[in-house]
Amino acid sequence: MKMPDLTDTQALTRNRARAMRAPALFLHEDLRDEIKERLAEVNKSFTSIAIVTGFPDFWREAFPTARIIPDDEVLALEPGAFDLVIHAMALHWANDPVGQLIQCRRALQPDGLLLAALLGGQTLYELRACLAEAESAVTGGISPRVLPMAEIRDLGGLLQRAGLALPVADSFARKVHYRDAFHLMQDLRAMGEGNALNDRLRRPTRRAVFAKMAELYAQAYAVDGGRVAATFDMVFLTGWAPHESQQKPLRPGSAVNRLADALNAAEIIVPATKGEG
């Protein structure tokens, strides 16, 4: 049985279209620069690139020769057609993230590279906590408001499930300071990262909830100058389509040198104990 969708894809599309009227894509700019830096460190040139994204104009400008693919449930990627696939700032909204990675893996040529950049589980933990506390205090309940994003330890496992070799998951925290919590929420709309959850509240939220949230936010997360801090957990997933040239772990017992010799230490052999019947 298919699990209920987490994301309302129509609402997500509307949010992204609205954001482009006056976009705030500094996170995409950070990711673009980081991806280009990482690619420069890879001893390989890429000639057939696909980028999966909900912001085609930005990424087309960043990689003019790349093929831009919308982050639909079924990706328009031909099997074995690319030596580099970049999944850019969209995987955290996917209803089936493993399926997205599997499709990217199938689109890679042998020894092709997948780079996925997304928001991780510590993103907006401040806003999440303050909204929950404020809504509970004002209404006596909590409704889904901030996308529940995966932790890096879970995301790394997705690469292996997708059949990618040499998987690596790493992250860094991007701290941004805002005038107040309302300024942060305005920026989220300009990023296209507003609430697009399927189970979101479908009626207007009482003003008292947001007023209480802003008060709690200012109390708990104030920084110098009277501003407040927000955290964006930037996660990078890297994996390669398997190829015979890639390094492989040694089989147990196949080592040709002893650890004791490498450490220049005496080897201590502990005799086995005989089990009692």
Side-chain angles (χ1 to χ4, degrees):
M1 184 176 66
K2 186 179 184 294
M3 295 291 292
D5 287 343
L6 179 70
T7 300
D8 179 344
T9 55
Q10 291 184 340
L12 179 61
T13 299
R14 289 196 302 269
N15 288 352
R16 288 170 171 173
R18 188 181 303 118
M20 295 314 296
R21 299 171 190 168
L25 300 182
F26 61 89
L27 294 180
H28 288 258
E29 293 168 357
D30 283 355
L31 293 174
R32 173 202 60 201
D33 295 344
E34 181 70 20
I35 286 172
K36 288 191 172 185
E37 185 175 321
R38 292 181 181 223
L39 290 176
E41 296 173 355
V42 177
N43 187 25
K44 183 181 176 73
S45 59
F46 299 97
T47 58
S48 182
I49 304 172
I51 302 179
V52 179
T53 180
F55 291 87
D57 293 341
F58 175 88
W59 287 95
R60 186 176 291 111
E61 182 178 348
F63 291 85
T65 64
R67 180 174 171 185
I68 307 299
I69 307 294
D71 59 322
D72 298 330
E73 185 173 340
V74 178
L75 300 176
L77 294 169
E78 296 86 1
F82 304 96
D83 55 10
L84 172 63
V85 174
I86 300 171
H87 207 298
M89 244 337 233
L91 194 60
H92 53 280
W93 283 111
N95 284 312
D96 181 12
V98 176
Q100 292 275 303
L101 293 177
I102 289 174
Q103 292 179 75
C104 291
R105 155 71 185 87
R106 290 174 178 167
L108 288 171
Q109 302 166 2
D111 204 34
L113 175 63
L114 168 68
L115 276 175
L118 66 152
L119 296 176
Q122 295 304 303
T123 297
L124 300 177
Y125 71 85
E126 307 95 340
L127 180 62
R128 195 189 317 267
C130 292
L131 271 173
E133 185 176 349
E135 189 170 20
S136 178
V138 174
T139 70
I142 299 176
S143 59
R145 294 184 178 276
V146 180
L147 181 69
M149 288 160 272
E151 299 293 340
I152 189 170
R153 60 180 177 273
D154 302 317
L155 290 167
L158 299 186
L159 293 169
Q160 292 178 309
R161 290 176 61 188
L164 289 153
L166 308 175
V168 176
D170 63 287
S171 67
F172 67 89
R174 174 77 147 89
K175 290 282 187 180
V176 184
H177 295 172
Y178 287 97
R179 181 176 61 250
D180 52 35
F182 295 111
H183 187 203
L184 164 60
M185 295 177 70
Q186 177 183 331
D187 229 16
L188 290 176
R189 287 191 290 271
M191 296 177 194
E193 297 291 337
N195 190 351
L197 293 169
N198 242 338
D199 293 335
R200 69 190 183 280
L201 193 67
R202 301 297 177 119
R203 61 179 185 276
T205 298
R206 292 166 58 182
R207 291 185 179 180
V209 172
F210 290 125
K212 182 65 174 176
M213 177 275 296
E215 176 187 342
L216 293 169
Y217 208 123
Q219 292 172 355
Y221 301 108
V223 293
D224 293 342
R227 300 170 77 83
V228 296
T231 300
F232 295 92
D233 183 17
M234 315 302 291
V235 175
F236 290 87
L237 305 179
T238 305
W240 296 82
H243 187 262
E244 60 183 11
S245 66
Q246 294 165 353
Q247 292 182 340
K248 298 176 177 60
L250 293 173
R251 291 181 291 104
S254 62
V256 296
N257 296 313
R258 300 184 310 160
L259 179 61
D261 294 338
L263 298 176
N264 195 25
E267 184 175 16
I268 301 176
I269 300 176
V270 180
T273 57
K274 185 177 182 180
E276 296 181 0

